[in-house]
Amino acid sequence: MASVSLSGVHKRFGDTHVVRGVDLDIADGEFLVLVGSSGCGKSTLLRMLAGLEQPSSGSIAIGGRVVNDVAPRDRDIAMVFQSYALYPHMTVRENMGFGLKVRGAAAPEIDAAVADAARVLDIVHLLDRKPKEMSGGQRQRVAMGRALVRKPKVFLFDEPLSNLDASLRGQMRVELKRLHAKLGVTTVYVTHDQVEAMTLADRIALLDKGVVQQVGTPAELYDWPANRFTARFLGSPGMNFVEAELRDGRVFAPGVDVPVVAELLAEGTTDGPVWIGVRPHDLRLEVGGAAGAIEAEVDVLEPMGWETHAHLRVGDARWTARFDAADAASLTPRGRVRCSVAPRSARLFARDDERALYRAPGPT
Amino acid sequence: MDDGQQTVSWGRQLARQALLIAVSAVTLYPVLWVVKLAVSPQASMGGGFNPLPTGFTLAHFERVLTARDTLGNLLFPIQLANSLTVSIATTLVGIVLSTTAGYAFSRFDFPGKDAGMKAFLVTQMFPGVVMAVPLYILMDELGLLNSMAGLTLVYSTTSVPFSVWMLKGYFDTIPRDLEEAALVDGASQWTIFTRVILPLATPAIVVTGLFSFMTAWNEFILAATFLSGERHMTLPTVLYGYVDENSTDWAPFAAGAILVSLPVMALFFVLQRHLVGGLTAGGVKG
Ligand SMILES: Nc1ncnc2c1ncn2[C@@H]1O[C@H](COP(=O)(O)OP(=O)(O)OP(=O)(O)O)[C@@H](O)[C@H]1O
Ligand SMILES: [Mg+2]
């Protein structure tokens, strides 16, 4: 097992600057999820870890050893490709044993390793099949088995579940988590799916346009997004925003009046234009006509049964709120609604560079 | 498969069979004529449209198989060996050169890559005859006239460029993920080529190999130009000897033609299952 660290890593393809200065330290045994929207450079970053691409500048270290000039085969990593990349002409057994075989391992040793991995992944009955004789989920397992067999120091996964249907994806997610808990191998996992990121990660690194926006535990990123991009990316439905004004310890926008929590406010924050952000489940419906901090017009109601998603207009902005189904029964489209938000649940972001203006409380 | 056929209605079944019979008849008619000429005792080009033999004899085959030179040596085995040598050598040279070259053209970037591929294409635009004279001069200079090595070289100049194009096109369809997976697995470039790429390219290699073999096996003009003396000839040139300006002996010609076709037919028969491609199915995605 090994730690992984990237420092000042850039990657250019001709004129396109795909990875723009990534610093990242991944601890031994950690499950780090690299998440970001399509084209942000996740795969490129992973391929640089694997040695399939050379960084244009910066350095990559695995287990404390700089590996920029080390061939993929000598990096002690295993990679699971999005396409699975199983060798079509080989059986599952041969696919899984290939890595050991080309490294000159003895046949009994290969057989034992393959049998072990097959047992862990519950694919013993598939060992003599060819890839084309298996379902997508089975191929996925075999691809993981092939990575497992070599007992590498680092696992690299590039969207391994994206070709599976939703229920299988959920199942494999749980299994991946169990597997990591059991083996404890350092893992870098690329996905564009925030659910996978939230559920699997020890820590998430959120990437946008080749730059790491924030690194932290799923809870940190969700509760204390470092900027508006992170706040928007995680959570479904996403955080609601409206352009607002920070003045005299309060945040104002048309229909919005929320007090500032001074102890959370970053040092040096001055009055001026800001964004206020509120998660859909942090909006409370004020029934019985009590004055609320946020006044909105109901646009569309989506009853889910256990709760109701209310699409609202707050000034010019469109917000989503998740209300208790019983409370929402009194709402009508086009009607007015009053909500409140706990001041500590609201988030403030600078209008210019969109950085978070609230800092997580706690030991400093 | 069988189930599918049973659901077809009688009318369609009948129409389908009629069409197949018609096509078979058209295809087999000339072949039957050759057979007729080869086995009929009184062979002649006349006799109307009837393609069925008017008797049966193996004398014409015997004549071809037992032709002797002036010293009394059997010629056919030598000439068959010549043909096989040239054809097999051309095939092997073609496969070795064009798999490696095709792979390089498909996967690596190097100066002159595009120009190289175009140059290969240009050589395909000239029929062999056009090259006969310059090739003759070259072969003469190199002292390779009347040798199987020389003829192999000449045939390879036509078959290799075609094979490189074919194989490059096929290699292009093999996903790079497979090679990258092998690279991470620990395979060297050469191992990847021999253990991953070549097995997956089997259908294309079989097709190009068959093409090279048949090019060399059937070729007449260049062989006739570069080879002289009965003991050096390949079978197509031998066949021509039966119907040159002095004599038109169609019977041994036809018998010889059948003998020459047999190996190619056997090859097709053996290799046909490889000709149906699709080995890469199932390796990547679903
Ligand atoms: N070999 C290459 N040559 C040129 N551009 C490339 C190359 N590989 C990737 N890119 C570009 O780099 C950018 C990032 O690609 P990358 O594959 O890393 O994205 P990604 O985050 O993995 O996206 P996705 O979620 O769609 O897989 C894209 O704009 C892509 O077009
Ligand atoms: Mg990708």
Side-chain angles (χ1 to χ4, degrees), chain A residues 47 52 72-73 77-79 81 83 85-90 98-99 101-103 131-132 139 146 150 163, chain B residues 177-178 180-188 191 195-197 199-200 278-286:
Chain A
R47 293 165 55 80
L52 296 171
R73 59 171 291 163
I77 46 128
M79 184 157 168
F81 293 76
S83 64
L86 300 177
Y87 312 120
H89 56 301
M90 298 183 198
F98 186 74
K101 191 169 172 189
V102 298
R103 285 163 197 266
K132 64 167 175 280
R139 288 178 205 172
R146 188 172 61 181
R150 277 199 354 257
N163 286 329
Chain B
D177 274 6
L178 293 179
E180 292 181 341
L183 214 55
V184 172
D185 261 346
S188 66
T191 308
R195 305 270 273 277
V196 178
I197 297 298
L200 292 176
L279 257 183
T280 51
V284 292
K285 291 215 182 123

Side-chain angles (χ1 to χ4, degrees), chain A residues 41-114:
Chain A
K42 308 180 294 289
S43 295
T44 306
L45 207 54
L46 198 72
R47 293 165 55 80
M48 286 193 284
L49 285 179
L52 296 171
E53 301 281 1
Q54 274 293 315
S56 305
S57 63
S59 82
I60 296 175
I62 296 176
R65 172 175 71 135
V66 174
V67 292
N68 284 37
D69 297 321
V70 176
R73 59 171 291 163
D74 298 322
R75 290 189 181 199
D76 222 343
I77 46 128
M79 184 157 168
V80 176
F81 293 76
Q82 181 175 358
S83 64
Y84 312 146
L86 300 177
Y87 312 120
H89 56 301
M90 298 183 198
T91 62
V92 168
R93 192 189 303 280
E94 290 162 341
N95 260 284
M96 289 171 66
F98 186 74
L100 291 175
K101 191 169 172 189
V102 298
R103 285 163 197 266
E109 182 191 338
I110 298 175
D111 287 347
V114 169

Side-chain angles (χ1 to χ4, degrees), chain A residues 71-273:
Chain A
R73 59 171 291 163
D74 298 322
R75 290 189 181 199
D76 222 343
I77 46 128
M79 184 157 168
V80 176
F81 293 76
Q82 181 175 358
S83 64
Y84 312 146
L86 300 177
Y87 312 120
H89 56 301
M90 298 183 198
T91 62
V92 168
R93 192 189 303 280
E94 290 162 341
N95 260 284
M96 289 171 66
F98 186 74
L100 291 175
K101 191 169 172 189
V102 298
R103 285 163 197 266
E109 182 191 338
I110 298 175
D111 287 347
V114 169
D116 267 356
R119 212 163 20 245
V120 170
L121 287 164
D122 199 14
I123 49 174
V124 176
H125 58 296
L126 301 175
L127 281 176
D128 293 311
R129 297 216 196 154
K130 292 252 177 88
K132 64 167 175 280
E133 298 158 353
M134 292 186 295
S135 70
Q138 291 171 330
R139 288 178 205 172
Q140 211 286 327
R141 276 166 193 273
V142 173
M144 291 198 349
R146 188 172 61 181
L148 225 60
V149 161
R150 277 199 354 257
K151 301 193 170 59
K153 288 197 189 125
V154 180
F155 280 135
L156 305 175
F157 290 96
D158 194 353
E159 310 212 20
L161 306 186
S162 63
N163 286 329
L164 302 180
D165 64 46
S167 76
L168 205 51
R169 201 152 53 216
Q171 209 177 313
M172 286 308 293
R173 221 165 47 213
V174 174
E175 218 161 303
L176 265 169
K177 200 157 183 166
R178 193 177 294 140
L179 205 61
H180 181 255
K182 179 171 171 177
L183 303 174
V185 176
T186 313
T187 302
V188 184
Y189 185 103
V190 161
T191 180
H192 62 258
D193 178 6
Q194 51 150 324
V195 178
E196 274 173 38
M198 293 293 291
T199 52
L200 285 171
D202 290 329
R203 281 193 309 156
I204 295 176
L206 179 58
L207 208 62
D208 182 40
K209 300 190 184 80
V211 178
V212 174
Q213 300 293 321
Q214 189 172 358
V215 187
T217 64
E220 278 166 5
L221 263 71
Y222 187 79
D223 292 336
W224 300 101
N227 53 40
R228 213 160 74 88
F229 179 85
T230 313
R232 254 195 321 247
F233 194 90
L234 295 176
S236 174
M239 189 181 272
N240 300 300
F241 298 100
V242 66
E243 295 186 356
E245 198 68 27
L246 176 61
R247 190 170 1 108
D248 305 330
R250 299 189 79 81
V251 183
F252 298 103
V256 176
D257 178 359
V258 176
V260 166
V261 185
E263 73 204 68
L264 296 180
L265 206 59
E267 266 175 50
T269 308
T270 53
D271 285 3

Side-chain angles (χ1 to χ4, degrees), chain B residues 221-233:
Chain B
I221 296 176
L222 295 174
T225 312
F226 297 143
L227 305 177
S228 52
E230 290 168 317
R231 299 181 58 84
H232 292 113
M233 286 186 176

